[in-house]
Amino acid sequence: EYPHVVPPVSFPDVQHGEKHRNFLRKSPSSFSWDWGPAFVPAGIWNPVHLVYGQEFYLSDVDVTTGRNDTGVSSWNVKVVLDFVKLTNRGELPEVTYTLKPIITGVKHPEIHSNIIRFRRKGKDDVIVVTLEFVASDIEVWYPRGYGDQHLYNLTLKAVTSHGSYCESTSRIIGFRTVELNQDKLDGDGNQRKFEFIINGK
């Protein structure tokens, strides 16, 4: 529910109850133009595999980075790991992590601090890991033509407390800030800039 009206407010019967196609990144022709039926997004889009004989499996990983300039300048990496328990035994796994630069010759950043929180999402368990790195230890990413595209390999490993099962995953991440500059143009109060500022430049 939204605190305001979200158009459209009426929906053709041929769409079979599917609403707000403007929220989906699909071609408008998927929603019944005058020449075709309504095919809403559906189907299997990832590889199918059978999971068995394990205490848990890692169903999803979400990684975001952000700059923190309060106090000591640092980069924060927030990792959200969704676990699905397959048995009733044991506790949530312990999570370890490493961050290594992909480009040779770049120093390995040291973890300044880390915070691990546990929460529930429906029937599943969620572990939120927040890592903090000193900004001077990180080589930032720039668009092509403006600087180097420094990337890092973030590896996470989940191990049960009794060490009987382990699962690991990795993500390639970069560090950069993006700002939209819409300051007024000099000499014209009705015109504004529209430019992206990457890493303050």
Side-chain angles (χ1 to χ4, degrees), residues 10 31 61 66 68 100 110 130 152 166 183:
S10 61
F31 295 88
V61 178
N68 181 13
K100 296 181 179 180
E110 296 182 3
T130 303
Y152 293 81
C166 170
D183 293 342

Side-chain angles (χ1 to χ4, degrees), residues 103 139-151 175-176 198-199 201:
I103 300 177
E139 297 287 348
V140 295
W141 177 96
Y142 281 99
R144 183 173 181 178
Y146 293 86
D148 295 326
Q149 290 80 53
H150 289 286
L151 296 173
F175 295 84
R176 56 97 180 99
I198 309 298
N199 301 321
K201 299 181 180 180

Side-chain angles (χ1 to χ4, degrees), residues 86-145:
L86 301 181
T87 66
N88 294 324
R89 56 175 296 196
E91 301 177 350
L92 277 175
E94 299 177 358
V95 178
T96 60
Y97 33 80
T98 57
L99 185 71
K100 296 181 179 180
I102 292 178
I103 300 177
T104 58
V106 177
K107 66 178 179 180
H108 290 206
E110 296 182 3
I111 297 175
H112 182 64
S113 68
N114 67 83
I115 301 173
I116 300 178
R117 294 188 176 92
F118 302 90
R119 60 183 173 86
R120 300 283 295 180
K121 188 175 78 172
K123 295 181 179 179
D124 299 336
D125 293 294
V126 177
I127 297 179
V128 181
V129 181
T130 303
L131 310 176
E132 184 181 15
F133 300 90
V134 177
S136 58
D137 285 349
I138 296 294
E139 297 287 348
V140 295
W141 177 96
Y142 281 99
R144 183 173 181 178

